[in-house]
Amino acid sequence: MLIFEHSAKGRKTKIQSTSGNEMPTDIPASLLREDKPGLPEVSEMQAVRHYTSLSQKNFSIDTHFYPLGSCTMKHNPRVCNSLAMLPGFLSRHPLAPEQNSQGFMACMYELQEMLCDVTGMAGFSLTPMAGAQGEFAGVAMIRAYHDAKGDFERKEILVPDAAHGTNPATATMCGFSVKEIPTLDDGDIDLDALKAAVGPQTAGLMLTNPSTLGVFERKIEEIAKTVHQAGGLLYYDGANLNAILGKIRPGDMGFDVIHSNLHKTFSTPHGGGGPGSGAIGVAERLKPFMPLPVVAKENDAYRWLTEKDCPQSIGRMSAFMGNAGVLLRAYVYMRLLGNEGMQRVSEFATLNANYMMAQLKKRGFQAAIPDRYASHEFIITLKKQAKELNVSAMDFAKRLLDLGYHAPTTYFPLLVPECLLIEPTESEAREALDGFVEALVQIQHEAETDAEMLHNAPYTMPVNRLDEVRAARQLDLAWSASREA
Amino acid sequence: MPFIPHTEDEINEMLSVIGIDSIENLFDEIPAHLKAGGLKNVPPGLNEMSINRLMQQRAAEDGQPLCFMGAGAYDHHIPAAVWQITTRGEYYTAYTPYQAEASQGTLQLTYEFQSMMTALTALDVSNASLYDGATAMAEAVLMAVRSNRKSKSRKILVPRSVNPAYTKVTETMVKHQNIELVEVAFDTATSKTSQDSLNAFNGEDITAVVISQPNFFGTLEDVDAITNWAHENNIIVIAIVNPLSLSILKPPGQWGETGADIAVGDGQPLGAPMSSGGPYYGFMCCKKEFVRQMPGRIVGRTVDQEGREGFVLTLQAREQHIRRSKATSNICTNQGLVVTASTIHMSLLGPEGLKQTALSCHNNTQQLVEKLTAINGVELVFDQPRFHEAVIKLNKPAAEVLGKLAQQNILGGVDLSEHFPELENCILVCATELRIAEDIETFASALAEALK
């Protein structure tokens, strides 16, 4: 039932009422609302019961193992939330004067500094509100850099064919055309194709390392050299930073600009779809173009850098300074991990991934790139099951829900047919990994003996497979009293 | 090591399953000279007790000043239940609802959110939110350009009375898409967008016009007249509105003869704490004929194989993971957690509660204006019907006066001279339902003192 269906006309929560009652006489009647908006009219108990019950229909990291490749579903420490929500932080107005904001700004400045250190970059801006916005900032800076040099012919951005969809979408938003570079079977980008593709029209290459295939780009230094020699810049998609955190730094690999996903690597909450944070880091030559605001420290006091300080900035990307509350959570997380802890993240994320991959291979599953170690994630391909048993990756994913596991990422990257991209993260204990392996083994057995059953999984969720075609054809996107009548 | 559960024994067993001697072997593919030497700017890890102490100190350092600032971020009361439920693990740590069967909580809640936003704006459809009000304006501009088949110019009229931060963000976002943002001056006496300044564009090919209600100065615009003018000239109307105000002000869907086409704004007033500017969320609603051009996620209601009601992400063919370089936008997240809070907030307050809150804001602001303008050296600038914010002019430099107030832990308002140099010594003040008579008295006394 929807919350509206619990409503009764005139029902309300009295303790939330305040003093206003009469419509204003100092506003012309033609500007006032005449009807009553169709919002729920329920008691506090009804609202609490409704939204608490709804929450219980969700899978979440707090309740289930969630090995979603490329999403880094690691544990979200509770203290990050409680400290970001201290009243002194929650009640700060974004435009409060600097002298009343030194506590908050200290956290932001130190976060910038720590992010520079772990990524090997010279400057960081915390303002982009999601990875995709970080990508936009990065590509816009590449454009600003070339334009500032009078290099207006650089109109093309290169992306690997295995890239996340946001990469080409971002390039288009910044007015570039996109050219795809193929990936080889061993997971590395086709360096020969890259060399043939670069030229005076190349603005840059967008890359993830490790790539979306879950393996390290071994020729990264040559890739960097190739792009730089042609006059282009190198952009790092930080989605997979968890694989190398503390071990190698994108700046050292030759990247000029990176975005980080604080909601992945730095454990800020996924929240059912957001808010994220896509803080971006830059090499020295791109510092003048960083989006504002950025926190600076001068004589022991913190201040915001503005357009006067950074006349070449690509501009502002948020009404204020981005997802501040998310940034505070990331700050607390990084302080908890500290120097030592930061360096262990990638080790254990990689250990867990390789352990799972080894176990699955032993139990008969096919890894997409079997002869290399996994990074923090790996791909299993179910193309054999699809061909011989008529059971797809989607069927496996849905059945996993019945067995108490959120499915891994399916059908991404697009290059590998019937794939499951599995990323356990470092916070999972061995038992969780073993349990997941057993679940896949059970489903394989079911595929061999009762494939039909799998086609209609899941069976134990609040709903089973939904009619998505109908959802798109018979659009029902909002409840309204008139529609239901 | 924080959050890593592995014991020595487990590590050794796992290594032997993999067939290696040490974790380091897993990084053999990395050129040795690239391996990081150690982190110089990351201090040693803190335990929970210590980070508690540090953060409490920092939060306390900033105090909790008495806030009379608005300008896009407002200090409202949020019922206790809102964030208690929102921070339940099942909402807090859930992922994007791509696996619908395992995400019916988030999906249904989002559908309810979409429904509430359509109810407030009186438009047909809503998406599941964008990053904030400023980026929502940018996305609305891009959407208008895609949607207006009758216009080729890609020119957008943007009144100077629109929140300058929103305009700046829009400039950044549309810069490389051959779109021209054309500034429209406001009437210096009223701050309104005059019909004369719009008539100057009669006969020109204009793609869209942005109307902010109220405008950045709190002044109410003639939304009906502007909407009708725009539609007569085949111009798409983009409304920027404060969602709380829609409980008492005429909603965009009812502006003019046929209503605004797209409505956006920031949902912060409905359940998001000020929190230094984020996370908030941008909402976007539109007439149903534009739905396929709307960016961001959308949840639809459908049925499962047994005919049970269920919810699912729909119209995904617009989005980046399918369309890639041809997507309507590169957006990948929405502001899920904040939308969750807002939906619960709207349910707890209901139409009556929101209306009372809005009326209380209006009344308190009028009280504030009365008290402040009674002080020698303070005058009201735009004496027009307004909602929730007003501009006052001081007889001393605004920065200096605001500084004195800040030292007494009072945030008196926003200095307007940075973005509006002609409004010298003018500040934008705001009183929400939380700024009761006693607070207004405190502010008035301090201001009188500061102006002596």
Side-chain angles (χ1 to χ4, degrees):
Chain A
M1 270 177 81
L2 296 173
I3 185 73
F4 311 98
E5 294 163 320
H6 293 290
S7 296
K9 190 162 178 291
R11 189 176 278 156
K12 59 186 171 180
T13 305
K14 293 199 178 69
I15 60 167
Q16 302 305 339
S17 67
T18 172
S19 57
N21 264 307
E22 307 284 308
M23 284 298 265
T25 48
D26 50 10
I27 294 179
S30 62
L31 294 179
L32 293 175
R33 184 163 197 145
E34 285 174 359
D35 60 1
K36 188 164 79 168
L39 296 179
E41 293 180 83
V42 295
S43 66
E44 177 172 316
M45 158 157 269
Q46 285 179 304
V48 168
R49 191 171 279 165
H50 178 79
Y51 289 108
T52 303
S53 308
L54 277 189
S55 80
Q56 293 170 332
K57 293 186 182 181
N58 272 358
F59 274 33
S60 63
I61 303 175
D62 274 10
T63 52
H64 295 78
F65 180 34
Y66 227 113
L68 272 173
S70 185
C71 300
T72 312
M73 304 295 282
K74 62 170 84 180
H75 172 64
N76 297 148
R78 277 290 166 273
V79 65
C80 298
N81 183 55
S82 58
L83 294 180
M85 294 193 79
L86 284 172
F89 290 128
L90 289 187
S91 63
R92 183 180 170 270
H93 190 283
L95 302 175
E98 284 162 352
Q99 68 257 39
N100 298 65
S101 310
Q102 294 292 299
F104 171 73
M105 292 173 84
C107 296
M108 295 298 103
Y109 180 78
E110 289 170 19
L111 179 61
Q112 285 170 190
E113 293 285 290
M114 288 194 287
L115 286 170
C116 283
D117 202 7
V118 303
T119 57
M121 306 307 284
F124 243 87
S125 169
L126 304 174
T127 184
M129 292 177 279
Q133 245 214 349
E135 285 183 39
F136 178 91
V139 176
M141 283 193 287
I142 290 176
R143 173 102 187 224
Y145 173 82
H146 291 310
D147 285 354
K149 293 171 84 202
D151 227 345
F152 299 111
E153 286 316 300
R154 296 192 178 272
K155 298 195 170 129
E156 201 173 74
I157 289 279
L158 305 172
V159 302
D161 54 5
H164 191 273
T166 48
N167 291 175
T170 301
T172 307
M173 276 185 98
C174 290
F176 287 114
S177 61
V178 176
K179 185 176 189 144
E180 285 194 342
I181 307 292
T183 307
L184 302 170
D185 287 337
D186 63 4
D188 286 342
I189 204 176
D190 186 341
L191 192 54
D192 290 332
L194 178 65
K195 287 183 172 161
V198 297
Q201 76 287 1
T202 306
L205 168 69
M206 296 175 82
L207 205 61
T208 313
N209 194 12
S211 74
T212 56
L213 291 162
V215 290
F216 192 76
E217 279 290 353
R218 288 174 288 199
K219 303 194 202 89
I220 183 61
E221 290 179 290
E222 238 202 293
I223 293 170
K225 204 164 105 184
T226 304
V227 174
H228 286 146
Q229 268 174 4
L233 295 178
L234 205 54
Y235 175 94
Y236 181 79
D237 180 328
N240 290 335
L241 194 59
N242 214 47
I244 58 167
L245 191 65
K247 267 278 184 269
I248 3 162
R249 311 189 311 167
D252 298 336
M253 287 194 261
F255 287 95
D256 298 293
V257 53
I258 86 165
H259 86 265
S260 58
N261 296 71
L262 299 190
H263 48 291
K264 297 185 182 189
T265 322
F266 300 99
S267 198
T268 68
H270 283 89
S277 175
I280 44 151
V282 296
E284 202 62 51
R285 57 180 167 172
L286 287 180
K287 265 176 102 169
F289 306 100
M290 283 203 291
L292 294 171
V294 172
V295 183
K297 189 172 182 184
E298 276 158 26
N299 300 324
D300 278 334
Y302 300 101
R303 71 174 192 90
W304 298 108
L305 293 180
T306 66
E307 283 80 351
K308 285 202 186 72
D309 304 299
C310 311
Q312 289 182 297
S313 162
I314 56 168
R316 297 195 174 243
M317 305 193 61
S318 145
F320 300 112
M321 55 150 300
N323 285 333
V326 174
L327 299 169
L328 282 172
R329 286 165 171 83
Y331 174 73
V332 173
Y333 178 76
M334 290 185 89
R335 293 303 311 262
L336 287 168
L337 251 53
N339 196 296
E340 272 261 311
M342 207 80 70
Q343 294 178 71
R344 294 285 175 264
V345 167
S346 59
E347 288 177 3
F348 284 87
T350 306
L351 174 67
N352 275 357
N354 279 280
Y355 172 75
M356 281 183 86
M357 185 168 80
Q359 290 285 38
L360 284 169
K361 277 160 75 176
K362 280 190 209 257
R363 307 296 286 275
F365 287 92
Q366 196 180 348
I369 306 180
D371 302 323
R372 294 179 64 183
Y373 290 131
S375 58
H376 66 321
E377 64 189 4
F378 63 98
I379 301 175
I380 294 290
T381 169
L382 298 171
K383 66 179 182 213
K384 184 158 169 258
Q385 288 85 341
K387 187 163 168 219
E388 292 171 14
L389 305 171
N390 195 26
V391 172
S392 68
M394 169 82 83
D395 296 327
F396 266 77
K398 297 300 182 194
R399 185 62 176 151
L400 274 167
L401 302 180
D402 284 328
L403 301 184
Y405 295 95
H406 193 282
T409 303
T410 51
Y411 303 104
F412 177 81
L414 302 168
L415 292 186
V416 181
E418 301 298 333
C419 67
L420 299 176
L421 179 61
I422 300 171
E423 180 188 349
T425 82
E426 72 281 8
S427 36
E428 298 292 340
R430 186 207 174 153
E431 304 89 276
L433 312 183
D434 289 339
F436 187 80
V437 169
E438 288 312 315
L440 280 180
V441 167
Q442 178 185 329
I443 301 174
Q444 172 69 26
H445 178 73
E446 289 172 351
E448 287 161 8
T449 55
D450 187 5
E452 188 52 37
M453 184 268 287
L454 292 181
H455 294 153
N456 294 314
Y459 298 97
T460 59
M461 298 286 106
V463 294
N464 52 31
R465 290 203 205 188
L466 293 159
D467 190 344
E468 298 193 21
V469 171
R470 173 184 162 138
R473 290 227 186 104
Q474 295 176 38
L475 290 179
D476 175 355
L477 308 176
W479 180 93
S480 73
S482 52
R483 165 200 232 127
E484 302 299 303
Chain B
M1 235 65 62
F3 314 119
I4 292 174
H6 303 65
T7 65
E8 274 306 310
D9 287 344
E10 284 169 341
I11 296 172
N12 289 329
E13 281 162 30
M14 292 168 79
L15 288 173
S16 85
V17 165
I18 299 169
I20 50 177
D21 293 324
S22 109
I23 295 180
E24 274 314 300
N25 294 145
L26 296 171
F27 295 92
D28 282 347
E29 283 181 348
I30 296 172
H33 61 274
L34 281 184
K35 289 201 186 154
L39 303 168
K40 297 177 189 55
N41 275 342
V42 182
L46 295 175
N47 62 11
E48 193 172 303
M49 205 167 82
S50 305
I51 188 69
N52 263 352
R53 196 184 180 90
L54 174 66
M55 294 299 270
Q56 309 255 11
Q57 272 166 3
R58 293 221 170 134
E61 212 181 306
D62 292 347
Q64 282 172 242
L66 192 60
C67 183
F68 288 92
M69 283 174 130
Y74 304 96
D75 189 13
H76 291 295
H77 169 67
I78 303 174
V82 172
W83 284 91
Q84 283 198 22
I85 300 176
T86 302
T87 52
R88 283 177 67 92
E90 300 97 323
Y91 284 132
Y92 193 80
T93 69
Y95 186 61
T96 306
Y98 291 127
Q99 293 288 354
E101 301 86 348
S103 318
Q104 287 299 292
T106 292
L107 285 165
Q108 178 172 336
L109 186 150
T110 309
Y111 178 85
E112 293 176 359
F113 166 77
Q114 288 169 189
S115 308
M116 293 181 202
M117 296 318 294
T118 60
L120 276 176
T121 58
L123 285 168
D124 303 316
V125 292
S126 166
N127 70 11
S129 79
L130 302 168
Y131 306 129
D132 73 351
T135 50
M137 174 178 157
E139 291 283 0
V141 164
L142 294 171
M143 180 176 162
V145 167
R146 289 192 294 271
S147 308
N148 192 345
R149 299 289 152 82
K150 296 195 177 123
S151 170
K152 290 189 172 43
S153 70
R154 300 165 83 91
K155 277 191 185 167
I156 316 289
L157 299 182
V158 182
R160 204 161 153 252
S161 55
V162 166
N163 186 331
Y166 282 32
T167 304
K168 277 183 171 220
V169 169
T170 303
E171 280 166 3
T172 307
M173 304 298 294
V174 308
K175 192 165 174 186
H176 303 299
Q177 302 204 44
N178 296 318
I179 290 172
E180 192 187 334
L181 302 179
V182 178
E183 186 180 276
V184 180
F186 59 82
D187 181 297
T188 47
T190 64
S191 83
K192 287 165 73 165
T193 307
S194 72
Q195 194 55 57
D196 283 342
S197 53
L198 291 175
N199 286 341
F201 296 96
N202 284 347
E204 247 188 83
D205 177 7
I206 303 288
T207 304
V209 62
V210 177
I211 311 174
S212 181
Q213 180 75 323
N215 68 21
F216 182 62
F217 307 113
T219 306
L220 295 172
E221 300 270 12
D222 294 323
V223 292
D224 291 328
I226 300 176
T227 302
N228 288 336
W229 169 82
H231 286 153
E232 276 155 29
N233 289 285
N234 294 318
I235 301 174
I236 285 194
V237 175
I238 298 172
I240 302 182
V241 286
N242 173 328
L244 175 64
S245 77
L246 298 181
S247 55
I248 62 171
L249 295 181
K250 184 151 74 176
Q254 292 169 9
W255 292 359
E257 297 289 307
T258 57
D261 302 291
I262 306 170
V264 296
D266 204 298
Q268 182 272 326
L270 300 175
M274 290 197 294
S275 185
S276 291
Y280 299 163
Y281 67 89
F283 61 87
M284 178 183 267
C285 299
C286 69
K287 290 179 177 162
K288 59 174 173 283
E289 65 245 44
F290 299 117
V291 70
R292 275 160 216 282
Q293 294 306 326
M294 198 158 63
R297 295 196 187 117
I298 305 179
V299 173
R301 181 163 60 161
T302 182
V303 292
D304 75 354
Q305 290 171 357
E306 278 162 42
R308 287 178 294 199
E309 175 185 89
F311 302 89
V312 74
L313 290 177
T314 191
L315 296 180
Q316 289 186 72
R318 300 157 303 121
E319 295 189 70
Q320 52 78 24
H321 53 288
I322 296 182
R323 297 270 284 173
R324 297 173 70 89
S325 62
K326 294 189 171 51
T328 46
S329 163
N330 77 344
I331 192 163
C332 190
T333 51
N334 67 338
Q335 298 287 88
L337 196 68
V338 197
V339 161
T340 302
S342 205
T343 308
I344 301 170
H345 183 89
M346 288 191 272
S347 298
L348 285 169
L349 281 149
E352 280 306 311
L354 285 187
K355 179 174 160 186
Q356 285 183 328
T357 306
L359 291 174
S360 190
C361 290
H362 180 71
N363 294 339
N364 288 359
T365 300
Q366 300 298 62
Q367 283 286 306
L368 179 69
V369 167
E370 253 178 61
K371 284 272 177 213
L372 295 184
T373 52
I375 300 169
N376 208 359
V378 180
E379 53 180 84
L380 180 64
V381 180
F382 305 118
D383 194 359
Q384 293 293 307
R386 73 180 69 88
F387 175 75
H388 192 359
E389 291 180 89
V391 178
I392 58 175
K393 187 175 164 93
L394 310 172
N395 68 354
K396 279 208 165 119
E400 185 192 305
V401 175
L402 290 174
K404 284 192 188 153
L405 292 170
Q407 276 168 2
Q408 297 173 64
N409 222 19
I410 301 172
L411 300 183
V414 178
D415 184 347
L416 291 173
S417 58
E418 189 198 324
H419 294 298
F420 303 96
E422 75 274 30
L423 296 177
E424 219 188 322
N425 298 337
C426 292
I427 61 175
L428 182 66
V429 298
C430 166
T432 64
E433 77 281 11
L434 290 178
R435 298 290 91 84
I436 56 179
E438 181 182 312
D439 299 330
I440 295 175
E441 197 41 59
T442 304
F443 182 13
S445 306
L447 182 59
E449 219 21 68
L451 289 177
K452 282 213 181 104

